[in-house]
């Protein structure tokens, strides 16, 4: 089955720790994205990547970092510099920037 | 003015009712439009793309009005399973080419 997987589903961390969220896709999509969703708000773009070894900042990139070493994988690191990291993180992919996004099941991160 | 604006609702309708949601967008150069559905604590899933001439998929009809810069979603014969949050998504053109902006979502509850 083609799709996007994210792990883990729930993640708990102490303040001051970096944490890495996994995202893998087998849809053969070139573009991948990370979004953040907070209660009552729309999705906000953190980072995106159109091709391997290239990525661009989205609207709220501060405190986050990404890598794109393989087409299938686009991990997101939430660093201790991110002021309000508790949120629902969604990874997505698409054939290209112009096309609809397909989302993974998300990771709920709680930082205390 | 927000880039994409939706009435957050909630819309509470009985089974079998017809319900319509509108969404306005501010960028007149926007190129493509989508409706997504998001169930509680789940990832958004593509419901349908919105084409210039309007399009229908079963009980769902999407319309685009470029002159007034809004899109709409009509749901006929509502089912209990239609209860969800409906996200309006706009793909900007011009200098923001490829950027998808998500509305906050409209909550729909269908009751027996």
């Amino acid at each position: 089955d083609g799709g996007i997987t994210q792990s883990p589903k729930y993640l708990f961390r102490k303040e001051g720790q970096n944490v890495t969220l996994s995202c893998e896709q087998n849809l053969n999509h070139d573009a991948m994205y990370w979004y953040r969703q907070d209660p009552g708000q729309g999705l906000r773009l953190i980072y995106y990547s159109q091709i391997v070894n290239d990525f661009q900042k989205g609207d709220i990139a501060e405190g986050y970092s990404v890598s794109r070493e393989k087409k299938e994988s686009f991990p997101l690191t939430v660093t201790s510099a991110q002021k309000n990291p508790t949120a629902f993180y969604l990874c997505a992919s698409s054939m290209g920037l112009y096309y609809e996004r397909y989302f993974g099941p998300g990771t709920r991160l709680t930082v205390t | 003015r927000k880039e994409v604006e939706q009435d957050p609702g909630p819309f509470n309708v009985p089974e079998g009712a017809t319900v319509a949601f509108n969404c306005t967008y501010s960028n007149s150069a926007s190129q493509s439009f989508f409706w997504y559905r998001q169930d509680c604590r789940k990832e958004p899933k593509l419901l349908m793309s919105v084409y210039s001439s309007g399009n229908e998929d079963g009980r769902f009809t999407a319309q685009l009005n470029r002159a007034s810069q809004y899109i709409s979603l009509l749901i006929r014969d509502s089912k209990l399973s239609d209860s969800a949050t409906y996200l309006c998504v706009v793909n900007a053109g011009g200098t923001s080419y490829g950027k998808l902006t998500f509305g906050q979502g409209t909550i729909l509850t269908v009751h027996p």
Side-chain angles (χ1 to χ4, degrees), chain A residues 37 40 97-98 101 104 108, chain B residues 36 38 41 43 91 98 104:
Chain A
Q37 188 174 37
L97 290 186
Y98 194 74
R101 310 319 188 220
R108 291 196 180 272
Chain B
Y36 278 72
Q38 186 172 23
R41 300 180 70 79
E43 75 274 23
N91 195 340
Q104 285 183 267

Side-chain angles (χ1 to χ4, degrees), chain B residues 37-112:
Chain B
R37 170 197 170 120
Q38 186 172 23
D39 292 303
C40 188
R41 300 180 70 79
K42 299 282 191 182
E43 75 274 23
K45 292 189 176 173
L46 179 66
L47 181 64
M48 58 198 303
S49 302
V50 186
Y51 303 122
S52 296
S53 54
N55 48 300
E56 191 173 300
D57 183 2
R59 297 181 294 108
F60 299 85
T61 301
Q63 297 278 354
L64 167 64
N65 185 319
R66 283 194 186 273
S68 301
Q69 293 182 209
Y70 78 83
I71 65 174
S72 64
L73 177 68
L74 181 80
I75 305 176
R76 289 182 300 278
D77 189 23
S78 300
K79 311 288 184 195
L80 295 176
S81 57
D82 293 335
S83 297
T85 298
Y86 290 84
L87 305 175
C88 167
V89 184
V90 176
N91 195 340
T95 56
S96 297
Y97 179 81
K99 179 187 171 186
L100 275 195
T101 301
F102 287 75
Q104 285 183 267
T106 298
I107 298 170
L108 172 66
T109 301
V110 181
H111 57 82

Side-chain angles (χ1 to χ4, degrees), chain A residues 51-67:
Chain A
I51 55 171
V52 173
N53 292 324
D54 184 63
F55 47 82
Q56 307 294 330
K57 291 182 179 179
D59 300 318
I60 55 164
E62 188 175 343
Y64 299 98
S65 66
V66 293
S67 63

